[in-house]
Each structure stands twice: as C-alpha cells, then as structure tokens.
Amino acid sequence: MDDFLDKLPEMDLMRSEKMTLVQLIIPVESAHRCVTYLGELGLLQFRDLNADKSPFQRTFATQVKRCGEMSRKLRFFKDQIDKAGLRCLPRHEIEPDIELGDLERQLADHEHEVLEMNSNSEKLRLTYNELLEFKIVLQKASGFLVSSNAHAIGDETELHESTYSNNGFIESSSLLEQEMRHEPLNQSGLRFISGIINKDKLLKFERMLFRATRGNMLFNQTPSDEEIMDPSTSEMVEKIVFVVFFSGEQARTKILKICEAFGANCYPVPEDTTKQRQLTREVLSRLSDLEATLDAGTRHRNNALNAVGYSLTKWMTTVRREKAVYDTLNMLNFDVTKKCLVGEGWCPTFAKTQIHEVLQRATFDSNSQVGVIFHVMQAVESPPTYFRTNKLTNAFQEIIDAYGVARYQEANPAVYSVVTYPFLFAVMFGDWGHGLCLLLGALYLLARERKLSTQKLGSFMEMLFGGRYVILLMALFSIYCGLIYNEFFSVPFHIFGGSAYKCRDATCSDAYTVGLVKYRDPYPFGVDPSWRGSRTELPYLNSLKMKMSILLGIAQMNLGLILSFFNARFFGSSLDIRYQFIPQMIFLNSLFGYLSLLIIIKWCTGSQADLYHVMIYMFLSPTEELGENELFWGQRPLQARKIHMERFQGRTYGVLGTSEVDLDVEPDSARGHQEEEFNFSEIFVHQLIHSIEFVLGSVSNTASYLRLWALSLAHSELSTVFYEKVLLLAWGYENILIRLIGVVVFAFATAFILLMMETLSAFLHALRLHWVEFMGKFFHGDGYKFKPFSFALISDDDE
C-alpha cells in the first residue's frame, strides 16, 4: 500500500511548494541591481536582519526618505491634475529610463512652478471674488437704499408740517427733531452697512446682530442669484446680500466686529444713484480684465500639468520600485570591512536556479569584479506556505486563506473545495432557472475580464470580479442540481420524458386533490414532475433532502478524516494514525456511517422502516428485536457492539505502553524532533479534550449539514410563493396594469431576494460547512504566507 501511495504523482496544490532558506552575500556596487532583478523575478522573500533597528538607523534611510519625498510630490501632481479635471495620458513612444537624481530635480522644478502658479491664481481669484461680491452688493443693496430714502423723506415731510403748524415748536421741540429738520437723512444719525455672507451662516448672523444691538436695527436680505467659487476648495458657494440700518457709532463698531467674526464681507455703497452706476461700470470693467487674466493663467497651468501627466504614471512606478528596493536593502546586514551586504530569505526549491541566473546577470550588468555568493542554509523555523495558483484556483485558495493559511506542506483544502464548495452551494440553491441567471452574470464578467482587470472597481464589484470563476462553477452546479430537483423558478418540466404517475381513476379531473398512482418506470433523471403540487410533495421532498444532506455530510467528513491520515503519514506521525485517525473513523462510521448505510438500504429496498427508532433504540435497548424496522440480517445493535468491543479489546492501555517506544522507533517523525520534556498530564488532558470535542462535534457537525436541506426547502418555497402568489395571481386579472405590476414585482423579488440574498445566504452556509465541518478534521491553519519581494505585488498604498 505504501509503495502504491509513493508512486502517485504529486499535485501542485495538494501541498505547498518545498521552500529553501538561502543566504546572499552581495558586493555593495551590485547590491541595488541585484535586488532590482530579484524584485522583477518575484520569487525570494527576504528576512529582516535589522529588526532591532529603527527606520532612521538603517543604512539606506536617506534614500528611503528621498523616495518618500518624491512620492509626496507625485501625489501632489496627481491631486492637482484630478482637481483640474485633466487626464493622465501617457505618451505612446517609449521613454528612456531616468536616473533617480535627475527625476528628483525635475520634480522639484515642476513642484515650484505649480505652487507659484497656484499662489498667483489664488490671489487673482480672491481679487476677482471681492469685485464680484462688490458688484452683487451694488446691484442688490441699491434697492433697499432707494426704498429707505423714500420712506425717510416722507417721514421728514410729515414731521416738518406738524412742527411748523405748532407755533411753539422752537420752545417745545426736542434736540433730535431740530437736527432732523436742518440736516438730510444721512447726516441725521441713521446709518447702514451693506455686505455679503454665506447662506448657511445667515440665521445665526442675524440673531447675533439683533442681540448685540438689542433690537435697534433693521436687517434686510436678498439672495445673490450667483454662486461664488471658494478658492481653497474650488466649490461653488451660495451667498446672501444684506443691508443693516442702525444708529450710533457704538452700534457700528459692534456690527463690524460681528461681520468679521462670521466671515461676512462688507462693501461701501453710495446713496447717490449716479455714483452707484459709475462705480458699477468700473467694477464690471475690472472684472472683465481679471477674467481674461484668470483664463490665461488657467491655460498655462493646465499645459504645465499636462506636461507632467504624460510621464506621471512612469515616474510613480519608478519611485515606487526604487523605494521598495531601498526598503529591501535596509533588511540586509551591511559588512563594512568586506564592503558587502548579507541577506537571508526563503525561496521555493524550484526557483534556486532562476535566482542564481538572475544574480549572475546582475553582477555582469553592474561590472562588478566580485560575484554574488548564493548558498543554502539549514532552517530552524517553519518555512512559509506558497501555492502556485491560476485564475480558477486563486479565488478558492483565497477562500481557504481567509480562515487560516495552511501549515507548511499541510494538505490543502482548496484542491477539493474547487468541486465541493460550488456543489454544496448548489444543493442549497438548486434551481436551473436561477442557475442560468447566475451563469449569465458570470459569463458577462468573463467576457469583460481583460477590460475590468485594468479598471479601478468599487469594493463590491471588485469582490464579484475576483470570484468570477467561483460564480461560474456555482452557476453550473446549480443548473445540475436544479435539473435533479426539477425546478425552474419553482415550475417543473417534463424534460426527460413523461411522468411515471397518472390519475387514480379515469374519471378524476384533478390529479393533485384525488391522488396519483404509479403506472410505469420511474422518471429517468431527477424528481418526477408530478410530485410538484401533490398532497405528498412536502413529506416526500423533506425526506429526500434531509437524508441526502446526511449522506453528503458524512461523505465530506470522512474525506476530512482521510486527509488527516495523509497528513499524519506525510509528517511521519504513526501515533496520529493509530490513536487518532483510526478511532475517529471507527466512531464516526459506527454511528453516522451506519445511519448512512441504513438510508441507502432503505432507498434501494423501498422499506418502510423508521430510522429514528433504529438509531435511538440502538442505545436505549440494544437487545430488543427490531421487527419491521430491521433492514438486513444481523442488524441487532448488540452484535455490532460485540464486534466493536472485540476490535478494541486489550487496547485500553495501549497508548501508555507504546508511546515511548514509538518515539524511539521513529526518529524521523515530527514528534521525534521535539526537545521539550514529555509532560504526560498535559498530553493526557489535551487528548481527553480532543476526544470529547470530536465526539460532541461529530453529532453537531452531522446536524449542521441539515442546513443543506433547510436552505434548499426555503429556496424552493420562496420561489413557489413568488410564482403562485405574485405572478399567477396578477396574471389572473384581465387588467393589463395589474399584470404589468405583477411581472415587475416578480422580477424584482427574483433578482433581489432569490438571486442576491439567497445566493449570499447559501454562499455563507457553504463557507461554514467547509471551514468548520470539513477543514476542522485535518486543517491546522497556523502557517504564514510566502510574501516574496516582487514589483508586481507593490500597491499604491505601499508608497
């Protein structure tokens, strides 16, 4: 058996790639080029040999700082280009590579030029805004002043007539009335302040003015009808023109301070209409000149930004790569006496030849007189885990890694999840109509794969695109399971021939209420369509799907236990095989494997035995006769128990008697390398807890697979409700509007509830079945990913 297993071909994904710890001794003159070439290859993960040093104490801290400063300038240019609404269009011709020093000088010049243009533009924009606000205030505030003057003149005439009609005016009139009679309105003490303020501050501004003047003011306001651009944010702001009438110098001081506090700009408006027109003409003339100046400055600034945008993408890539190279060089030890850098790292065993060739090429290209020393080291710590994946397997590997990264050379669940994951999803989602909808979505993502892979997608769309092959397989399996369930939007079809059932008698007109009888061979594939809508539909489908869920669960859990055997065999741990794998297989299959056998026998023989009775009384009354519940000879539980006891007779103390011998006999096992003192009590408690956990987990895990039955039933019933209670009910009316509403509601319910919510629900439940019920049998998941130094893996966030 061992020889047969050893001859089986190795699978790339079954176990992680074999890793090798290597050491590099690189001369200083070729260090930068060597690390650059290794970054292009992307198959070596460097270890940080300077972990005890801060970033500022490392050898190439200055170069990293320079790259960081250049990255800041490039981000500034990108923000400026985006703010101006321009696009970064790279040149079609191939640009020559640029040295880091030359790039640094170019970026400094471009930044100085853009900052100077921004400063000038901001100053011009502030002046333009002031003139624009002045123009608006002149236009809007003049209306308030005209109406106020007319009102004031009328009041003065009335006061003049009333006072002169009184002969004793000189003796009885107040000083204020005398002042008003001899002076015009603007000299009588009544004053005004006009200005403009942001609309969102107006209410608080008016309230503060009222409180400060104790109500001795008149506040007028009107919309500006023009939005003004804020230079700092480039956003259009809506403003309000106001005119405040007051009396007294003290009130004037308070109002001006409040205006300053609220950011309101005050502008002088003459009362004379002629002066207003003349001032408005001057402001409009200056505004026209400023607009021309601003447009010219904007064109000049856009030309400068376009010149930068042509090379921006290439420069960002260059700086990002250079920073990554110097960050990696800082992980190496610098030997001052020998003028070399010493580095260590992990690489896949198959990549050693490629790395050696890359280092030789780097030595030749840098004209170094001394080559790079590359040799293998003995590893003490556990190597990283690395799986070579493709477009199809990568998404499934990510699903497994979300739970935990496989231990080095541990059996990889992703190999089996490529089939089992979409299949268990389809068992819960089975409807070939809904499966076709999923298939169309997956085909759309695959058809636009090249275009979407280069675009920046949102988080939800990125998740869908990354799992496009998972969705494709889920759709195909859903179509398969839907054909087995014979469900197309809950409607059965006679795809594979006629039904095996007919009406109970020749006179009945409704087969679903009177009953069906079988008259020919069973339906060749899947569920007979005549079960749909019959009185026994739910009992039949419940029994079928519940038993099917148990069979699938026991099969997958047995697969997990078998993989634990291959793990133990691969790591040379015979203890795990004899005292963990074998007892677990016996316990699981003696209980639930036996139940699965009874289900299959019952299906094949058509027996009416009650399996609940058989399983319960196997423990309560092992000697009781089963009677009509007996499915095969020798089924009495006592005989099974006797065989079970004979199998384990005399092994109760076998673990204690052979544990030390096993460790001595097998020096190559993983346990034989442990140098720690053997602690019997700790091992005993650990194994006891593990045993209890497995016994209880076997029951709960088997019950957990019943979610396959529950979600499949829920999906089927929801489809039936939407079809019968929405679509058919609306179609029963003669009104075309009701029919249209029914179709729309049915379409939205199908799309958002059955195709989105039910898909997500089945996806998450399949995820739980794999993470807990399946992987919990063999998967440790305490490894760490292989993260090589690769330019292809550098993202924008790593700058």
Side-chain angles (χ1 to χ4, degrees):
M1 181 64 179
D2 291 342
D3 295 338
F4 171 75
L5 294 175
D6 291 335
K7 291 179 182 179
L8 290 177
E10 293 186 3
M11 296 174 61
D12 290 340
L13 277 176
M14 180 62 193
R15 300 192 183 278
S16 59
E17 294 289 341
K18 294 181 179 179
M19 307 298 290
T20 303
L21 182 63
V22 298
Q23 186 181 54
L24 308 175
I25 301 177
I26 312 173
V28 174
E29 60 271 14
S30 61
H32 185 277
R33 195 176 295 271
C34 286
V35 174
T36 302
Y37 286 2
L38 289 173
E40 293 173 352
L41 181 64
L43 287 174
L44 180 64
Q45 175 180 330
F46 286 93
R47 298 172 63 185
D48 191 359
L49 302 181
N50 299 312
D52 55 334
K53 295 182 180 179
S54 68
F56 303 102
Q57 296 175 327
R58 306 201 179 198
T59 307
F60 299 95
T62 304
Q63 288 84 346
V64 172
K65 185 178 178 181
R66 289 172 57 194
C67 291
E69 181 64 19
M70 285 189 284
S71 296
R72 182 197 62 78
K73 293 176 182 177
L74 290 170
R75 288 194 300 270
F76 167 73
F77 293 138
K78 189 174 187 307
D79 292 340
Q80 292 295 309
I81 291 173
D82 294 340
K83 190 176 179 180
L86 304 176
R87 297 178 60 187
C88 297
L89 297 174
R91 300 181 189 272
H92 295 292
E93 61 269 14
I94 300 177
E95 298 181 27
D97 293 334
I98 186 171
E99 294 293 333
L100 196 63
D102 296 337
L103 178 59
E104 189 174 17
R105 285 189 293 273
Q106 286 190 27
L107 292 179
D109 294 340
H110 285 303
E111 184 187 31
H112 177 72
E113 182 183 9
V114 172
L115 287 176
E116 187 175 0
M117 287 188 291
N118 286 347
S119 177
N120 295 333
S121 177
E122 188 172 351
K123 291 176 182 177
L124 288 173
R125 175 58 64 177
L126 287 174
T127 305
Y128 178 82
N129 285 354
E130 290 176 357
L131 289 173
L132 182 60
E133 289 178 351
F134 195 10
K135 183 200 76 170
I136 295 172
V137 171
L138 284 171
Q139 293 173 347
K140 297 293 183 179
S142 59
F144 297 127
L145 297 179
V146 170
S147 60
S148 298
N149 283 333
H151 179 68
I153 292 171
D155 291 344
E156 184 179 359
T157 303
E158 181 180 356
L159 178 62
H160 179 74
E161 292 176 352
S162 63
T163 52
Y164 274 87
S165 64
N166 187 357
N167 295 328
F169 173 74
I170 299 298
E171 290 80 14
S172 62
S173 61
S174 64
L175 294 177
L176 176 61
E177 291 171 341
Q178 296 180 35
E179 185 73 13
M180 289 179 64
R181 187 184 65 176
H182 294 291
E183 295 181 1
L185 176 65
N186 57 357
Q187 298 296 328
S188 62
L190 184 63
R191 304 180 183 182
F192 70 90
I193 292 177
S194 57
I196 192 168
I197 190 173
N198 289 358
K199 184 178 180 180
D200 55 353
K201 299 179 180 179
L202 180 66
L203 185 61
K204 294 180 179 179
F205 176 65
E206 184 179 1
R207 189 178 302 167
M208 182 60 70
L209 288 175
F210 184 84
R211 291 177 179 175
T213 60
R214 298 182 180 180
N216 296 318
M217 63 95 185
L218 179 63
F219 187 84
N220 293 292
Q221 61 175 355
T222 182
S224 64
D225 296 335
E226 291 186 47
E227 291 186 343
I228 300 174
M229 189 178 72
D230 186 354
S232 58
T233 61
S234 298
E235 294 180 356
M236 303 304 292
V237 181
E238 187 176 354
K239 296 200 171 187
I240 302 293
V241 176
F242 65 90
V243 177
V244 184
F245 294 94
F246 60 94
S247 177
E249 184 64 27
Q250 187 176 4
R252 178 179 179 275
T253 304
K254 290 181 179 179
I255 292 172
L256 288 176
K257 288 183 177 179
I258 293 173
C259 290
E260 183 181 358
F262 279 86
N265 297 324
C266 299
Y267 297 96
V269 179
E271 294 185 32
D272 188 0
T273 308
T274 305
K275 291 183 179 180
Q276 289 178 8
R277 293 197 192 100
Q278 182 181 359
L279 192 57
T280 303
R281 284 195 298 270
E282 292 178 3
V283 170
L284 289 174
S285 175
R286 292 187 61 189
L287 277 174
S288 178
D289 295 339
L290 275 177
E291 283 180 1
T293 306
L294 280 171
D295 290 341
T298 302
R299 287 193 299 270
H300 179 61
R301 179 172 171 273
N302 289 346
N303 291 334
L305 290 175
N306 278 326
V308 174
Y310 289 137
S311 305
L312 185 63
T313 303
K314 180 179 176 61
W315 289 349
M316 293 180 75
T317 303
T318 301
V319 172
R320 195 181 302 126
R321 286 166 56 119
E322 288 296 320
K323 184 175 183 297
V325 168
Y326 285 117
D327 282 334
T328 304
L329 287 171
N330 277 332
M331 300 171 68
L332 277 59
N333 273 335
F334 181 64
D335 192 332
V336 182
T337 57
K338 299 179 181 179
K339 294 183 180 180
C340 64
L341 293 168
V342 180
E344 297 177 2
W346 295 100
C347 71
T349 303
F350 70 84
K352 288 192 296 184
T353 304
Q354 296 173 260
I355 294 175
H356 189 65
E357 292 174 355
V358 162
L359 294 175
Q360 286 182 336
R361 181 161 58 90
T363 302
F364 178 78
D365 292 345
S366 58
N367 298 320
S368 176
Q369 301 298 322
V370 182
V372 179
I373 300 176
F374 175 76
H375 63 90
V376 178
M377 299 177 62
Q378 292 295 326
V380 178
E381 63 187 66
S382 178
T385 301
Y386 173 51
F387 295 103
R388 282 185 285 180
T389 57
N390 53 32
K391 294 179 182 178
L392 174 64
T393 57
N394 181 66
F396 291 97
Q397 189 64 57
E398 291 296 327
I399 289 175
I400 300 302
D401 291 344
Y403 177 78
V405 180
R407 182 181 292 182
Y408 176 65
Q409 295 265 287
E410 185 179 30
N412 185 18
V415 179
Y416 311 95
S417 299
V418 174
V419 176
T420 60
Y421 191 88
F423 177 70
L424 291 186
F425 168 87
V427 170
M428 295 179 277
F429 192 77
D431 187 303
W432 64 278
H434 298 153
L436 284 174
C437 295
L438 282 183
L439 181 61
L440 292 176
L443 292 178
Y444 170 78
L445 294 174
L446 291 176
R448 297 176 59 87
E449 179 177 355
R450 182 173 299 177
K451 184 176 181 180
L452 292 175
S453 61
T454 58
Q455 292 181 354
K456 189 172 183 179
L457 307 173
S459 57
F460 180 73
M461 191 63 189
E462 186 177 358
M463 179 181 65
L464 288 180
F465 179 72
R468 58 195 180 279
Y469 288 100
V470 179
I471 298 174
L472 175 66
L473 290 180
M474 291 193 307
L476 294 176
F477 278 98
S478 295
I479 295 173
Y480 170 73
C481 288
L483 291 173
I484 291 180
Y485 295 158
N486 202 344
E487 289 191 13
F488 178 86
F489 295 99
S490 81
V491 180
F493 282 86
H494 293 75
I495 302 176
F496 302 100
S499 172
Y501 299 90
K502 67 177 181 179
C503 181
R504 184 175 296 276
D505 53 61
T507 59
C508 73
S509 59
D510 191 351
Y512 298 120
T513 57
V514 177
L516 298 170
V517 291
K518 186 175 181 181
Y519 74 101
R520 66 179 182 183
D521 291 338
Y523 193 67
F525 185 84
V527 176
D528 196 302
S530 293
W531 285 106
R532 174 67 62 181
S534 66
R535 292 177 299 173
T536 53
E537 175 191 1
L538 275 181
Y540 169 73
L541 291 179
N542 273 343
S543 176
L544 172 68
K545 292 182 178 180
M546 181 176 64
K547 293 180 174 63
M548 181 185 65
S549 301
I550 294 175
L551 292 178
L552 293 175
I554 297 303
Q556 191 175 31
M557 288 193 290
N558 271 288
L559 175 62
L561 291 179
I562 291 172
L563 290 178
S564 72
F565 162 77
F566 281 101
N567 269 343
R569 182 180 176 278
F570 181 84
F571 292 114
S573 178
S574 61
L575 283 175
D576 289 338
I577 296 176
R578 284 182 287 178
Y579 302 117
Q580 183 168 305
F581 165 73
I582 293 177
Q584 287 178 352
M585 286 290 290
I586 292 175
F587 174 80
L588 181 65
N589 290 289
S590 296
L591 186 60
F592 299 106
Y594 175 61
L595 174 60
S596 302
L597 178 64
L598 295 181
I599 291 173
I600 295 174
I601 294 176
K602 181 178 179 179
W603 279 351
C604 294
T605 61
S607 172
Q608 299 297 318
D610 185 0
L611 299 185
Y612 294 105
H613 182 279
V614 174
M615 294 302 297
I616 291 174
Y617 282 91
M618 182 176 70
F619 295 98
L620 297 181
S621 301
T623 59
E624 182 183 349
E625 295 290 341
L626 295 176
E628 62 180 8
N629 291 321
E630 185 172 343
L631 291 171
F632 57 91
W633 179 86
Q635 190 187 348
R636 186 183 301 176
L638 184 61
Q639 295 179 352
R641 179 176 180 275
K642 181 181 179 182
I643 296 173
H644 183 74
M645 291 300 295
E646 289 176 354
R647 180 180 299 174
F648 284 91
Q649 188 174 6
R651 297 193 186 184
T652 307
Y653 303 98
V655 177
L656 301 181
T658 60
S659 59
E660 294 183 0
V661 176
D662 290 334
L663 290 173
D664 294 336
V665 171
E666 301 171 6
D668 296 331
S669 67
R671 298 173 184 267
H673 291 291
Q674 300 294 332
E675 299 180 0
E676 298 179 359
E677 182 181 356
F678 181 78
N679 191 330
F680 171 76
S681 60
E682 181 180 347
I683 298 298
F684 178 79
V685 172
H686 173 76
Q687 291 299 106
L688 179 63
I689 294 174
H690 189 75
S691 300
I692 297 174
E693 180 185 7
F694 180 81
V695 171
L696 297 179
S698 297
V699 180
S700 64
N701 292 348
T702 305
S704 185
Y705 277 94
L706 293 178
R707 70 185 69 233
L708 298 175
W709 157 50
L711 266 76
S712 174
L713 182 64
H715 186 84
S716 176
E717 292 303 310
L718 274 176
S719 300
T720 303
V721 168
F722 292 138
Y723 176 71
E724 295 180 355
K725 303 301 181 184
V726 176
L727 187 61
L728 293 185
L729 187 64
W731 210 256
Y733 292 89
E734 297 297 331
N735 192 328
I736 187 65
L737 180 61
I738 296 179
R739 289 185 175 184
L740 183 61
I741 293 175
V743 171
V744 171
V745 172
F746 175 76
F748 272 88
T750 300
F752 291 102
I753 296 180
L754 295 177
L755 289 180
M756 292 185 64
M757 295 179 62
E758 283 286 308
T759 299
L760 181 60
S761 175
F763 182 90
L764 294 176
H765 282 283
L767 199 65
R768 184 255 154 69
L769 290 177
H770 278 76
W771 281 357
V772 180
E773 278 70 28
F774 173 53
M775 291 162 53
K777 301 293 184 295
F778 67 96
F779 187 71
H780 291 90
D782 55 357
Y784 63 101
K785 268 188 176 182
F786 174 62
K787 296 180 179 179
F789 171 60
S790 172
F791 293 142
L793 300 179
I794 301 176
S795 63
D796 295 340
D797 298 333
D798 297 332
E799 293 182 0

